[in-house]
């Protein structure tokens, strides 16, 4: 059982940290620290660097917990992922063995865990690293963050071909990736519907009104046909609404009807590009924009942050004009939110 716990902890760290195999094996006791006020792993960068410099990899709470479990198991060793027998034992710890053992354990215990079977195939640490990079790349502005987490060195993070290569979709499983992303989007879309049905606000702006109208149609249809939750889910899947969940707003850009998308106005669209141009997003005036409840506090904080520099004496006039224009944009966004919610 101890071996299974160690193998499971290793797989979780490999899957979610984007660390190289060698970097994970360099993790030692007390490696979970605070780095720029966020939890991180302190380890050693091995590849491509002389001197083996110490680096930090940001992590989430489940990864920190997995390392704590591995520490508790590896009581006789300084390294977290080490043999569980006595220090001078000939037992070795290979990443491939731990991953294969974990997969075998999951498949053998499906009768009582209820988990789906992990398909046969080769799984190795660099594949997890690549997969997480591809998933992260789905979010706007992710390339710089990816370059920092993957520890790809470049004069400019955006010019680093290594990062782009890691985030580039692999044709062998691109379809599976898209299916997984669609499942996540639909789950969040379904949660929005549940909140709307319970009378809770789901967002503001023209995009939000389109979503609310669509949800009302689903509710009315289900009630008219005396349907159940299964019918609700089927109707939600059939809605002609494309939603992209973002950090500052949600985008309802429809590739089949892009009219009104502000991000495409007077823009040069790259060859082969489909969808909105996220870097030109204007949630203050686009009809596809939906300001979610979770976005209001972000925009309000941004407005207060912009107001502070205006108090600075002798601030150059061009700088003041730029700040005021930014405040006007934020005011236009917050104007879409009822006063009691702002």
């Amino acid at each position: 059982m101890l071996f299974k716990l160690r193998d499971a902890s290793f797989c979780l760290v490999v899957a979610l940290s984007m660390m190289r195999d060698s970097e994970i094996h360099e993790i030692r006791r007390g490696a979970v620290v605070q780095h720029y006020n966020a939890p991180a792993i302190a380890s050693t960068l091995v590849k491509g660097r002389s001197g083996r410099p110490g680096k930090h990899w940001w992590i989430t709470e489940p990864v920190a917990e997995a390392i704590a479990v591995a520490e508790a198991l590896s009581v006789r060793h300084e390294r977290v992922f080490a043999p569980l027998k006595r220090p001078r034992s000939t037992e070795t710890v290979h990443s491939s063995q731990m991953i294969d053992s974990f997969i075998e354990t999951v498949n053998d215990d499906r009768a009582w865990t209820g988990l789906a079977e992990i398909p046969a195939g080769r799984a190795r640490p660099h594949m997890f690293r690549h997969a997480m990079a591809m998933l992260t790349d789905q979010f706007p502005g992710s390339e710089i963050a990816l370059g920092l987490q993957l520890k790809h060195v470049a004069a400019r993070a955006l010019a680093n071909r290594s990062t782009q290569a890691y985030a580039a979709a692999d044709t062998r499983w691109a379809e599976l990736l898209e299916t997984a992303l669609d499942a996540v989007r639909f789950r969040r879309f379904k949660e929005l519907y549940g909140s709307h049905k319970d009378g809770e606000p789901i967002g503001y702006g023209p995009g939000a009104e389109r979503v609310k109208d669509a949800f009302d149609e689903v509710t009315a249809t289900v009630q008219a046909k005396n349907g159940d939750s299964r019918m609700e889910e089927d109707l939600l899947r059939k809605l002609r609404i494309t939603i992209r969940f973002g950090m500052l707003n949600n985008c309802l850009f429809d590739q089949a009807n892009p009219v009104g998308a502000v991000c495409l106005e007077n823009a040069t669209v790259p060859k082969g590009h489909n969808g909105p141009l996220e870097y030109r997003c204007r949630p203050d005036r686009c009809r596809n924009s939906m300001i979610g409840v979770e976005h209001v506090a972000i925009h309000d904080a941004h407005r207060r942050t912009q107001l502070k520099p205006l108090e600075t004496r002798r601030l150059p006039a061009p700088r003041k004009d730029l700040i005021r224009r930014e405040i006007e944009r934020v005011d236009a966004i917050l104007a879409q939110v009822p006063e009691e919610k702002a």
Side-chain angles (χ1 to χ4, degrees):
M1 180 58 71
L2 296 181
F3 292 94
K4 293 181 179 180
L5 280 174
R6 181 200 60 191
D7 298 343
S9 299
F10 179 82
C11 289
L12 187 62
V13 175
V14 167
L16 299 182
S17 69
M18 285 195 261
M19 297 176 72
R20 296 184 179 93
D21 183 24
S22 58
E23 295 157 355
I24 295 175
H25 281 287
E26 287 290 329
I27 298 175
R28 299 175 184 270
R29 294 184 173 282
V32 177
V33 297
Q34 288 288 316
H35 186 58
Y36 289 96
N37 297 321
I41 298 175
S43 187
T44 302
L45 182 59
V46 178
K47 182 178 179 180
R49 291 291 191 91
S50 59
R52 300 163 65 88
K55 294 291 182 179
H56 294 85
W57 287 259
W58 282 295
I59 57 173
T60 56
E61 186 59 33
V63 179
E65 185 176 352
I67 293 177
V69 171
E71 277 189 5
L73 295 174
S74 180
V75 293
R76 297 185 178 91
H77 295 269
E78 181 65 20
R79 287 180 176 168
V80 170
F81 295 105
L84 299 185
K85 298 180 181 179
R86 61 185 182 276
R88 295 184 181 179
S89 169
T90 57
E91 178 197 1
T92 59
V93 179
H94 295 293
S95 303
S96 58
Q97 293 174 347
M98 287 189 284
I99 294 175
D100 292 344
S101 174
F102 172 73
I103 293 175
E104 182 180 354
T105 299
V106 171
N107 288 340
D108 288 345
D109 295 339
R110 287 188 303 117
W112 66 271
T113 62
L115 297 174
E117 181 179 8
I118 299 177
R122 187 170 180 269
R124 295 296 178 260
H126 71 277
M127 297 178 180
F128 288 97
R129 178 175 158 92
H130 189 180
M132 184 57 72
M134 292 172 65
L135 290 169
T136 306
D137 191 55
Q138 302 300 312
F139 295 91
S142 64
E143 191 173 358
I144 293 177
L146 272 176
L148 293 172
Q149 190 73 352
L150 293 170
K151 300 297 178 284
H152 287 158
V153 183
R156 291 172 58 248
L158 288 174
N160 194 336
R161 295 184 180 273
S162 297
T163 300
Q164 295 170 352
Y166 258 89
D170 188 332
T171 55
R172 291 174 298 177
W173 67 286
E175 183 177 348
L176 178 61
L177 171 63
E178 188 59 35
T179 300
L181 291 172
D182 287 341
V184 173
R185 292 191 193 103
F186 180 74
R187 185 163 62 248
R188 292 191 61 182
F189 191 60
K190 188 177 177 182
E191 290 172 355
L192 280 180
Y193 174 75
S195 298
H196 180 67
K197 195 168 65 169
D198 293 339
E200 300 175 4
I202 62 171
Y204 314 98
E209 295 304 318
R210 285 162 54 190
V211 173
K212 293 174 187 177
D213 291 342
F215 284 168
D216 289 339
E217 291 180 10
V218 170
T219 302
T221 302
V222 172
Q223 291 177 347
K225 296 185 178 181
N226 196 25
D228 54 11
S229 58
R230 180 65 182 180
M231 178 180 286
E232 282 182 344
E233 183 168 326
D234 290 341
L235 291 173
L236 287 173
R237 290 187 183 278
K238 294 176 182 177
L239 284 179
R240 300 190 56 163
I241 290 183
T242 302
I243 186 167
R244 296 169 176 82
F245 295 96
M247 293 297 296
L248 300 179
N249 70 328
N250 301 327
C251 178
L252 274 74
F253 178 89
D254 183 1
Q255 187 67 40
N257 183 24
V259 178
V262 176
C263 64
L264 299 183
E265 291 181 358
N266 303 317
T268 301
V269 180
K271 186 178 180 180
H273 177 82
N274 291 318
L277 297 173
E278 289 90 351
Y279 67 93
R280 302 184 82 245
C281 182
R282 290 293 302 271
D284 55 320
R285 64 185 187 91
C286 184
R287 74 178 187 90
N288 293 321
S289 176
M290 171 181 174
I291 306 300
V293 177
E294 68 277 12
H295 300 132
V296 176
I298 297 175
H299 289 292
D300 182 62
H302 179 56
R303 182 182 188 279
R304 286 185 276 109
T305 301
Q306 293 297 314
L307 286 171
K308 289 182 180 180
L310 291 179
E311 301 172 0
T312 305
R313 296 181 60 186
R314 298 180 180 178
L315 191 69
R319 176 63 175 165
K320 285 185 178 180
D321 292 341
L322 183 63
I323 293 174
R324 291 192 180 103
R325 284 199 297 270
E326 183 63 21
I327 293 175
E328 288 174 1
R329 288 189 181 186
V330 181
D331 285 341
I333 294 172
L334 294 176
Q336 303 174 40
V337 183
E339 290 187 5
E340 64 273 15
K341 302 294 182 181

